Amino acid sequence: MHKTNSINKVLNILQKTYAGQKGAVELGDPYKVLFATIISQRNKDELTEIVAARLFKKYPSVESLSKADTTDLAKIIYPSGFYNTKGRVMVEAAKEIADRFAENIPNRVEELTSLPGVGRKTANCVLVYGYNLPAIIVDTHVHRISQRLGWLKSKNPEETEVKLGRIVPKKYWKIINTVMVKHGKSICLPIGPKCHICPILNYCPYGQNRVKS
């Protein structure tokens, strides 16, 4: 089967399998998406949702966050991992957004990644979940699953993003992270994947080899 046809079929199946399920940072508001994604680093979704809700209740805007006391902010986002560092970075980012972008969250990767604490994954989350723009978000699940499927070989998420952009039809860019994260947490686990019940086993050489062995 041609790779593009296989990619289409896999993503269609995953879309149907995980229809209606959303991640902790899929909030629709660029401000909330940006800072919830920073909080989410090395956190589980459940914790991210709780901590982000506390943050936005106390600091509902770029302006309010830019004036936050970092010690107070660290207490609010605790028990998020690296809460002291995240608190400092978020205040710094909010100040830059206020100064450089008139409190408007940028909608270009280059501008977003110029902010403290914002890498390509976070920037692409803002584009997709904040502005509904096409971008490929690569986290550990997308990086792992796309290679297990035999779509590409990659050493890091940045390389994976570039290679996926060449082979995945643009209509799927906005959903690939959502469905692969759900699949990676429930079926295609990092250790001990449940290949025998995987809905895309027929398209996965990695899974077929495991089932046969």
Side-chain angles (χ1 to χ4, degrees):
M1 181 181 292
H2 190 274
K3 182 176 284 189
T4 300
N5 290 335
S6 174
I7 290 170
N8 288 345
K9 288 185 177 296
V10 164
L11 292 175
N12 282 333
I13 291 169
L14 292 179
Q15 260 192 299
K16 292 176 182 177
T17 302
Y18 302 106
Q21 298 186 35
K22 290 186 176 182
V25 303
E26 296 181 47
L27 301 170
D29 176 334
Y31 167 69
K32 290 184 177 181
V33 173
L34 173 57
F35 291 101
T37 303
I38 292 175
I39 289 171
S40 75
Q41 295 166 10
R42 303 194 185 187
N43 278 347
K44 292 184 176 181
D45 278 1
E46 297 79 7
L47 179 60
T48 296
E49 290 175 356
I50 293 170
V51 172
R54 278 206 307 250
L55 172 73
F56 300 134
K57 183 176 181 180
K58 180 71 178 288
Y59 302 105
S61 66
V62 169
E63 180 185 17
S64 59
L65 186 58
S66 69
K67 298 175 182 177
D69 177 80
T70 54
T71 302
D72 178 58
L73 185 55
K75 292 177 181 178
I76 290 174
I77 66 173
Y78 180 85
S80 172
F82 303 98
Y83 53 91
N84 284 314
T85 300
K86 288 178 182 177
R88 174 178 52 77
V89 164
M90 287 195 289
V91 172
E92 290 175 357
K95 286 179 178 177
E96 287 205 25
I97 293 167
D99 293 341
R100 294 168 52 200
F101 303 106
E103 297 181 11
N104 297 308
I105 306 299
N107 62 1
R108 294 176 62 243
V109 169
E110 297 78 11
E111 293 176 341
L112 285 162
T113 53
S114 73
L115 298 170
V118 179
R120 287 195 65 87
K121 175 195 167 186
T122 299
N124 285 333
C125 281
V126 173
L127 298 186
V128 173
Y129 302 135
Y131 286 108
N132 197 32
L133 295 172
I136 296 177
I137 304 164
V138 177
D139 71 347
T140 181
H141 299 289
V142 176
H143 183 61
R144 177 179 73 254
I145 295 171
S146 60
Q147 294 189 81
R148 285 181 174 178
L149 287 165
W151 292 358
L152 54 88
K153 291 183 179 180
S154 171
K155 296 178 181 178
N156 54 63
E158 291 75 18
E159 185 181 355
T160 298
E161 180 188 341
V162 172
K163 290 186 174 181
L164 285 175
R166 294 173 183 160
I167 61 175
V168 174
K170 204 165 187 176
K171 65 180 180 178
Y172 294 113
W173 286 15
K174 291 189 288 187
I175 62 94
I176 188 170
N177 181 260
T178 298
V179 298
M180 283 196 174
V181 167
K182 298 301 179 185
H183 191 58
K185 289 181 176 181
S186 59
I187 303 292
C188 196
L189 306 171
I191 300 173
K194 304 173 185 178
C195 299
H196 60 292
I197 60 170
C198 179
I200 55 173
L201 177 61
N202 290 340
Y203 306 97
C204 181
Y206 170 86
Q208 289 172 10
N209 287 335
R210 287 191 77 250
V211 170
K212 289 177 184 177
S213 60

